[in-house]
Amino acid sequence: MTKILIVDDEKIILEVLEAYFEKENWDILFASNGIEALKKVKEENPDLIILDLMLPDISGEEVCSLTRKNSNVPIIMLTAKSTEDDLINGIVIGADDYVTKPFSPREVVVRVKALLRRTNKTETGSQLGFNNRKLKIDKLKKEVKQNDQIIGLTPNEYKLLLSMASYPGRVYSRSDLLGKIQEDGGYFEGYERSIDTHIKNLRKKVETDSRHPEFILTVFGMGYKFGGVPDEDNASF
């Protein structure tokens, strides 16, 4: 049974998440502070951690950093902090995803499922869907649809989109993305900044409003990430 550790000192949040998680038949563990959380990580070896950053003893950031010294367990930050710097810092110290308070319990469930699939490599379907099927990627056909309309992408644009969409929330540097283009024989264009042009063109094609993107997001000073929420039925549309 999948074992999930929820670290939060707010009773109502624990109760709400427990109610939703039990419907998924997940084994739920609780910790109300950082010290207790670190102890349970060591003793219980959870499959995933939901970690609030505002804890009464040590910070969630410190819990995350200490956990990362000995474990690669997936971590989803649960935070009231909403500034970009706060969220970037969470990813840098080792979190895999984040949910900002106030949140939808259903969204948390979807994010947990998506992260568990990626971590356990159980995602075997050839199709990926995001934001209630608004964006679809067919890996066998190498076909991308927005609102069920096929989008014409260049080979490099497709590689970039698929690479980022396969790991929503993960931050990619320009160097990382340039490597994705080159790794299977793609043409070397010389400069990491060429990625910016690809991203600009990709946004024009996959976003409803490229000035306010929901899929291809900029992480200032670091690179880019995919912001779409995976559909629950990604194995089949």
Side-chain angles (χ1 to χ4, degrees):
M1 180 179 291
T2 300
K3 190 184 297 184
I4 298 180
L5 172 61
I6 303 174
V7 185
D8 202 304
D9 62 337
E10 294 185 48
K11 185 177 179 180
I12 185 63
I13 288 179
L14 297 177
E15 292 176 345
V16 169
L17 290 180
E18 179 182 23
Y20 275 79
F21 286 6
E22 284 184 343
K23 293 179 182 178
E24 304 296 330
N25 293 317
W26 293 334
D27 186 13
I28 313 302
L29 305 171
F30 299 104
S32 59
N33 59 65
I35 298 301
E36 183 182 4
L38 291 171
K39 182 179 179 181
K40 290 197 173 182
V41 169
K42 183 177 180 180
E43 295 177 350
E44 301 288 347
N45 191 29
D47 296 295
L48 184 142
I49 301 172
I50 303 290
L51 176 62
D52 184 23
L53 296 190
M54 303 296 289
L55 298 173
D57 50 359
I58 62 177
S59 70
E61 287 94 340
E62 187 173 355
V63 173
C64 184
S65 295
L66 292 172
T67 298
R68 276 290 170 261
K69 290 182 179 181
N70 303 299
S71 174
N72 289 321
V73 59
I75 298 175
I76 297 178
M77 298 189 306
L78 195 60
T79 175
K81 299 180 179 181
S82 59
T83 69
E84 187 169 56
D85 286 344
D86 289 327
L87 300 178
I88 289 173
N89 182 59
I91 298 298
V92 169
I93 63 177
D96 297 277
D97 199 356
Y98 62 84
V99 176
T100 304
K101 297 180 180 178
F103 60 86
S104 160
R106 182 176 178 276
E107 178 188 357
V108 177
V109 169
V110 170
R111 288 183 179 273
V112 169
K113 287 182 176 180
L115 188 51
L116 287 173
R117 283 198 300 267
R118 299 200 305 269
T119 303
N120 297 326
K121 297 182 180 180
T122 59
E123 181 71 64
T124 58
S126 65
Q127 298 177 317
L128 301 175
F130 303 92
N131 293 21
N132 294 319
R133 304 182 184 181
K134 184 174 184 179
L135 183 70
K136 301 177 185 178
I137 303 173
D138 188 320
K139 294 185 286 184
L140 291 181
K141 295 180 180 179
K142 294 188 176 180
E143 184 178 89
V144 178
K145 292 182 178 181
Q146 181 198 57
N147 294 323
D148 290 325
Q149 298 296 314
I150 295 177
I151 302 171
L153 300 182
T154 68
N156 283 343
E157 289 167 357
Y158 176 81
K159 291 173 191 173
L160 292 177
L161 177 62
L162 179 60
S163 295
M164 290 191 289
S166 296
Y167 295 91
R170 175 178 172 178
V171 178
Y172 289 86
S173 67
R174 292 180 177 85
S175 178
D176 291 334
L177 294 176
L178 189 59
K180 295 297 181 182
I181 291 177
Q182 299 172 34
E183 64 185 6
D184 59 353
Y187 177 66
F188 176 64
E189 297 178 81
Y191 297 97
E192 292 177 6
R193 286 290 176 179
S194 65
I195 292 298
D196 294 344
T197 300
H198 287 308
I199 292 294
K200 181 180 179 181
N201 292 335
L202 186 57
R203 278 186 177 142
K204 290 180 180 178
K205 297 178 180 181
V206 304
E207 303 286 359
T208 302
D209 182 354
S210 61
R211 295 171 299 178
H212 300 92
E214 58 181 311
F215 296 112
I216 310 300
L217 308 181
T218 299
V219 181
F220 292 102
M222 298 183 67
Y224 301 96
K225 69 176 181 179
F226 187 81
V229 177
D231 293 339
E232 293 187 69
D233 58 346
N234 262 350
S236 62
F237 292 141

